[in-house]
């Protein structure tokens, strides 16, 4: 059964509490670097025991509180929920490469989807104690203070994060980066797509683009950008939830220019 507004409100508060709880676990382990080993799922695809530990903590709490809900986690703790129920989409540690290498820029990301709507987004950065939260129709905030996207009106003055991964190939990444640099924008890559999107929502960056991103990396951030007044391409189109999709997210003033410049297949201004 589809959750009503009260049921979503409850999930919002639980997501906030869980992100903070999980964030404290991640922070503790990060600061005690000898407590975990670092491995790889594939080339440049870092994995630590902490990713699985944090995901199991969140998945277990969600299952006991909302047994009807679905769950999709980066580390595979998936569960199919009842028809129409909310689906929790969780990255236990987004920015794993930073986490693994001792760079304090990572977060817990939780997105909650109902049907094709991203209803809730919660992203917690435990190293600077910043909790970004959004509920569809209710705005976005950081540590309780409202946030909004930037007012930058042209790419020449913009700062754009270009997400990088090994899935889409070097040519597509370099071509995308090249087009954005040629348009005069400053380019950033922070290693956490979720925080990149949260920063767009908070007006700290003007846009985020990536040729392919997985749902656990971006759904929390998508809710934030939209509720902060920003534009996000139709990420859940096709099988985005399970297979990922490209993304363009930005303030509405540079929407057309960024879509045109990115020229990502299927995303048109
Ligand atoms: C990655 C990061 C990165 C993004 C990649 C993701 P992970 O997630 O969010 O910034 O560009 O697409 O795979 O491995 O740190 O959870």
């Amino acid at each position: 059964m589809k959750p009503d507004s009260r049921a979503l409100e409850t999930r919002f508060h639980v997501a906030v509490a869980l992100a903070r709880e999980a964030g404290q676990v991640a922070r503790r382990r990060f600061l005690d670097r000898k407590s975990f080993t670092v491995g790889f799922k594939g080339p440049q695809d870092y994995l630590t025991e902490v990713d699985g530990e944090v995901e199991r903590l969140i998945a277990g709490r969600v299952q006991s509180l909302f047994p009807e809900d679905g769950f999709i986690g980066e580390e595979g703790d998936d569960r199919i929920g009842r028809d129409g129920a909310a689906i929790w989409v969780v990255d236990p540690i987004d920015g794993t490469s930073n986490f693994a290498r001792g760079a304090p820029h990572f977060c817990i990301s939780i997105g909650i989807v109902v049907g094709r709507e991203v209803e809730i987004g919660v992203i917690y950065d435990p190293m600077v104690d910043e909790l970004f939260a959004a509920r569809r129709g209710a705005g976005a905030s950081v540590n309780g203070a409202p946030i909004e996207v930037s007012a930058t009106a042209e790419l020449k003055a913009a700062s754009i994060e270009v997400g990088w991964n090994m899935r889409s190939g070097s040519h597509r990444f370099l071509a995308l980066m090249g087009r954005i640099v040629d348009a005069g924008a400053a380019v950033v890559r922070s290693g956490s797509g979720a925080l990149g999107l949260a920063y767009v929502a908070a007006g700290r960056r003007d846009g985020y683009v990536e040729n392919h991103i997985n749902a656990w990396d971006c759904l929390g951030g998508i809710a934030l950008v939209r509720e902060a007044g920003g534009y996000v391409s139709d990420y859940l189109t096709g099988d985005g939830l399970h297979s990922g999709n490209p993304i363009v997210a930005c303030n509405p003033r540079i929407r057309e220019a960024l879509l045109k410049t990115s020229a990502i297949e299927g995303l048109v201004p």
Side-chain angles (χ1 to χ4, degrees), residues 74 91 93-96 163-165 167 191-193 208 210 213 217:
E74 176 170 20
D91 193 339
I93 297 181
D94 185 60
T96 305
W164 171 82
N165 62 74
R167 298 179 299 274
S192 165
Y208 183 96
E210 188 162 352
I213 189 163
D217 295 316

Side-chain angles (χ1 to χ4, degrees), residues 5-253:
S5 147
R6 247 182 114 125
L8 283 173
E9 183 74 19
T10 307
R11 283 162 177 77
F12 174 75
H13 292 297
V14 169
V16 166
L18 275 179
R20 282 195 184 279
E21 181 186 5
Q24 287 320 316
V25 174
R27 180 188 157 89
R28 222 172 24 245
R29 299 297 300 276
F30 177 81
L31 293 173
D32 182 9
R33 304 198 45 70
K34 292 205 173 84
S35 74
F36 62 90
T37 53
V38 174
F40 288 90
K41 290 191 267 188
Q44 294 292 345
D45 197 1
Y46 283 86
L47 178 69
T48 73
E49 292 123 71
V50 189
D51 296 71
E53 185 181 316
V54 172
E55 183 164 308
R56 284 190 297 279
L57 167 75
I58 301 173
R61 295 265 197 277
V62 172
Q63 177 158 28
S64 59
L65 289 166
F66 309 111
E68 66 276 29
D69 288 5
F71 193 93
I72 298 174
E74 176 170 20
E75 307 312 330
D77 289 84
D78 294 6
R79 204 176 59 240
I80 296 173
R82 287 217 194 112
D83 254 6
I87 304 173
W88 295 62
V89 186
V90 172
D91 193 339
I93 297 181
D94 185 60
T96 305
S97 58
N98 289 336
F99 183 93
R101 307 203 53 164
H105 189 74
F106 58 88
C107 65
I108 316 304
S109 175
I110 301 177
I112 300 183
V113 180
V114 178
R116 293 190 89 79
E117 295 286 1
V118 192
E119 294 284 352
I120 289 164
V122 175
I123 290 177
Y124 182 54
D125 177 343
M127 303 312 289
V128 291
D129 190 27
E130 281 190 326
L131 190 290
F132 299 87
R135 227 200 109 179
R136 191 161 71 93
S141 62
V142 59
N143 291 347
I147 49 174
E148 57 182 48
V149 293
S150 69
T152 307
E154 49 174 10
L155 289 182
K156 282 190 172 56
S159 166
I160 307 292
E161 176 150 4
V162 184
W164 171 82
N165 62 74
M166 294 290 282
R167 298 179 299 274
S168 352
S170 56
H171 289 306
R172 286 177 66 206
F173 172 72
L174 290 171
L176 175 60
M177 172 92 97
R179 289 192 293 272
I180 291 172
V181 171
D182 282 346
V187 165
V188 189
R189 188 206 164 231
S190 76
S192 165
L195 278 178
L197 288 162
Y199 279 23
V200 173
R204 297 174 187 174
R205 282 180 191 144
D206 305 299
Y208 183 96
V209 298
E210 188 162 352
N211 282 307
H212 178 272
I213 189 163
N214 287 310
W216 46 79
D217 295 316
C218 69
L219 285 182
I222 287 176
L224 283 159
V225 174
R226 286 194 179 133
E227 284 305 311
Y231 160 79
V232 185
S233 50
D234 182 9
Y235 178 79
L236 286 173
T237 190
D239 193 28
L241 185 60
H242 298 103
S243 312
N245 257 330
I247 192 167
V248 171
C250 58
N251 88 37
R253 292 180 167 207

